[in-house]
Amino acid sequence: MTSIPWAIVLANYLDYAITLVVAVLALLAVFDCLRRSAVQFERAWKRTKTFWLALTGGAAVVSVFSAVFSTLALLAVGVPGTGSLILMLIAATITGVYLADVRPAVSGESKNPGY
């Protein structure tokens, strides 16, 4: 191990765990957005499918790249690297808004398409 203080190492591992969770959730949001039709977004009074696909796709790219680079640092140095935490916060916010607000509205709309 390195001579890095234990508190910094602990913080790096916590950041790494958060990065992995955000990456998985962002990929889930992208795949969910891909399988919905554009009409479902319009009927649920949400922004367009293209808008949400761009946002969730960007969040997924940022979080997956951060997870990959943190993993490479973990393998090389023994301590995971920390990415840009502000970008991870933005990616987590976008993913959270999609999963908590847009996804239920769009999936609830598909149960009664003629209503």
Side-chain angles (χ1 to χ4, degrees):
M1 196 90 170
T2 62
S3 63
I4 300 173
W6 67 271
I8 294 175
V9 172
L10 179 64
N12 283 357
Y13 276 104
L14 288 175
D15 290 343
Y16 181 60
I18 291 169
T19 300
L20 292 177
V21 169
V22 171
V24 168
L25 289 176
L27 288 173
L28 174 76
V30 168
F31 292 133
D32 183 74
C33 188
L34 279 172
R35 69 184 195 98
R36 306 282 178 194
S37 70
V39 175
Q40 288 177 304
F41 287 88
E42 294 172 11
R43 287 185 181 163
W45 292 88
K46 298 296 176 185
R47 303 290 298 257
T48 63
K49 178 181 179 174
T50 306
F51 175 82
W52 283 110
L53 196 56
L55 282 181
T56 57
V61 166
V62 166
S63 59
V64 167
F65 276 150
S66 183
V68 166
F69 290 133
S70 293
T71 303
L72 290 176
L74 176 65
L75 295 174
V77 181
V79 177
T82 58
S84 175
L85 293 179
I86 189 71
L87 290 178
M88 289 307 299
L89 178 64
I90 293 169
T93 302
I94 291 169
T95 302
V97 167
Y98 179 82
L99 292 176
D101 181 43
V102 177
R103 182 180 179 204
V106 171
S107 65
E109 183 275 325
S110 63
K111 292 178 185 171
N112 276 333
Y115 181 64

